């Protein structure tokens, strides 16, 4: 059908143009969201090419997560001002989603890098390595707390990482002070931590000392970790090294990649000083 302003489109033609089936257009008409511009005496429906943009905007709003009911509410009170407000609002939502996706991408990249690095490690090797300064985001102090309190701290810490977007994909580790290590309290951690390769402004960070660390790996759960510490202390003695201020522990393999705790792998990094002879 033609008119002086251009060709009208049948329901089938308009549906094809919109890349939907005719039932979608029937439903939109039924709920008053997008109705044909003309219905003739035989009941045939006709659309205008100018309605295509309205259909596109409806699809856009649906992609933004708006329900058909919310879109209806907008359509009933539409105006240039309300449309502009709606577009600004949706733009802000897109920016936020993009930031969230970029953050998740960085987390995934970090986990890939760490797992590929782990696949090249010899977990039976002990090495002395000079490490640069690193910035860590810490939990609250957890020395000598009960199991229930520990669970609460872990939960709060994970929530902080999520809310403040401080999850970098690096493992959550534990810091043990020198005095605890000397007493054999290897799992009496002082803080939980997560490394921040690109620290965000406005947050307090713990800056590790740069220097030498004796690095070894414990295979198994924490119940037998004292045996690995004994082996590392023997190596320290052989190399004429003294225990420094802190020990850092973090999982290399845990429940994410291993089903049995006897196959877990923990990286132990002991800050050391050279003993002057």
């Amino acid at each position: 059908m033609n008119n002086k302003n251009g060709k009208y489109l049948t329901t089938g033609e308009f549906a094809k143009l919109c890349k939907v089936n005719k039932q979608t257009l029937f439903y939109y008409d039924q709920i008053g969201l997008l109705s044909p511009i003309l219905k003739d005496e035989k009941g045939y429906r006709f659309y205008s090419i100018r309605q295509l943009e309205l259909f596109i905007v409806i699809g856009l709003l649906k992609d933004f997560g708006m329900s058909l009911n919310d879109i209806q509410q907008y359509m009933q009170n539409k105006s240039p001002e309300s449309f502009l407000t709606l577009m600004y609002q949706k733009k802000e939502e897109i920016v936020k989603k993009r930031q969230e996706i970029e953050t998740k991408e960085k987390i995934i990249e970090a986990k890939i890098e760490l797992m590929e690095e782990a696949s090249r490690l010899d977990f039976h090797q002990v090495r002395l390595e000079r490490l640069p300064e690193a910035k860590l985001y810490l939990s609250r102090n957890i020395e000598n707390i009960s199991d229930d309190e520990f669970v609460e701290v872990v939960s709060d810490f994970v929530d902080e990482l999520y809310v403040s977007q401080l999850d970098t994909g690096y493992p959550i580790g534990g810091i043990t002070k020198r005095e605890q290590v000397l007493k054999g309290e290897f799992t009496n951690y002082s803080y939980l931590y997560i490394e921040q390769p690109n620290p965000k402004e406005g947050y307090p960070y713990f800056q590790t000392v740069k220097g030498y660390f004796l690095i070894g790996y414990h295979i198994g759960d924490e119940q037998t970790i004292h045996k690995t510490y004994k082996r590392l202390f023997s190596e320290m003695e052989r190399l004429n090294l003294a225990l420094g201020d802190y020990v850092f522990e973090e999982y290399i393999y845990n429940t994410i990649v291993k089903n049995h705790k006897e196959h877990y792998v923990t990286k132990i990094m002991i800050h050391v000083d050279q003993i002057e002879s």
Side-chain angles (χ1 to χ4, degrees), residues 1-258:
M1 178 181 285
N2 292 282
N3 76 338
K4 63 181 180 181
N5 294 320
K7 183 179 182 296
Y8 285 132
L9 304 173
T10 65
T11 302
E13 289 171 334
F14 192 66
K16 185 176 181 180
L17 188 64
C18 296
K19 297 180 174 58
V20 294
N21 56 45
K22 291 193 291 186
Q23 283 68 32
T24 299
L25 296 181
F26 292 151
Y27 182 63
Y28 281 6
D29 181 23
Q30 180 184 339
I31 63 175
L33 194 58
L34 174 61
S35 297
I37 200 167
L38 176 67
K39 294 181 184 178
D40 67 13
E41 63 278 2
K42 294 182 181 180
Y44 290 112
R45 304 154 181 257
F46 296 94
Y47 293 83
S48 166
I49 189 69
R50 295 182 179 181
Q51 290 180 286
L52 177 61
E53 187 173 359
L54 177 57
F55 182 87
I56 291 171
V57 169
I58 291 171
L60 188 65
L61 295 177
K62 284 174 62 182
D63 290 342
F64 288 152
M66 283 184 71
S67 68
L68 290 179
N69 184 59
D70 288 340
I71 298 173
Q72 282 178 291
Q73 294 297 317
Y74 163 74
M75 294 298 179
Q76 290 170 7
N77 301 283
K78 57 189 174 185
S79 68
E81 294 77 18
S82 62
F83 180 74
L84 191 59
T85 299
L86 184 60
M87 289 298 100
Y88 273 122
Q89 177 188 335
K90 295 308 173 185
K91 182 180 178 180
E92 287 179 7
E93 291 176 9
I94 286 178
V95 169
K96 185 178 179 182
K97 274 187 179 179
R98 185 189 301 126
Q99 291 172 341
E100 290 173 352
I101 290 172
E102 288 173 351
T103 298
K104 289 175 181 177
E105 183 181 13
K106 289 177 182 177
I107 290 172
I108 290 172
E109 287 175 349
K111 290 189 180 299
I112 289 172
E113 181 182 349
L114 290 168
M115 199 55 56
E116 288 182 342
E117 180 185 339
S119 68
R120 298 188 292 267
L121 293 173
D122 178 358
F123 296 135
H124 299 285
Q125 180 189 43
V126 177
R127 67 184 188 276
L128 184 64
E129 186 174 336
R130 184 173 177 81
L131 298 181
E133 288 179 342
K135 288 191 176 180
L136 313 177
Y137 185 69
L138 304 185
S139 71
R140 64 178 185 264
N141 191 285
I142 56 174
E143 290 174 27
N144 303 310
I145 63 174
S146 67
D147 290 343
D148 288 343
E149 290 173 316
F150 181 75
V151 171
E152 181 183 337
V153 169
V154 172
S155 177
D156 290 347
F157 189 57
V158 171
D159 286 345
E160 285 175 35
L161 298 182
Y162 175 76
V163 171
S164 301
Q165 295 184 334
L166 293 169
D167 186 350
T168 57
Y170 283 73
I172 293 176
I175 300 177
T176 312
K177 290 181 180 177
R178 184 176 189 274
E179 49 264 39
Q180 268 70 48
V181 175
L182 289 174
K183 291 188 288 187
E185 298 176 355
F186 306 119
T187 58
N188 186 9
Y189 306 113
S190 298
Y191 303 95
L192 301 176
Y193 72 86
I194 186 168
E195 188 174 344
Q196 302 288 304
N198 300 293
K200 295 173 66 174
E201 292 185 9
Y203 291 89
Y205 295 105
F206 175 83
Q207 189 159 308
T208 64
V209 291
K210 63 181 178 182
Y212 284 97
F213 287 79
L214 192 69
I215 300 174
Y217 302 90
H218 171 65
I219 301 173
D221 65 7
E222 63 180 32
Q223 302 300 321
T224 58
I225 202 167
H226 63 279
K227 296 179 181 179
T228 300
Y229 271 96
K230 183 177 180 181
R231 181 164 61 93
L232 293 175
F233 289 156
S234 296
E235 185 65 9
M236 284 171 58
E237 186 175 348
R238 186 184 73 81
L239 295 173
N240 203 33
L241 300 172
L243 178 65
D245 293 329
Y246 298 100
V247 174
F248 302 88
E249 285 183 18
E250 55 191 47
Y251 274 124
I252 300 294
Y253 293 156
N254 58 4
T255 53
I256 296 174
V257 296
K258 294 292 184 179

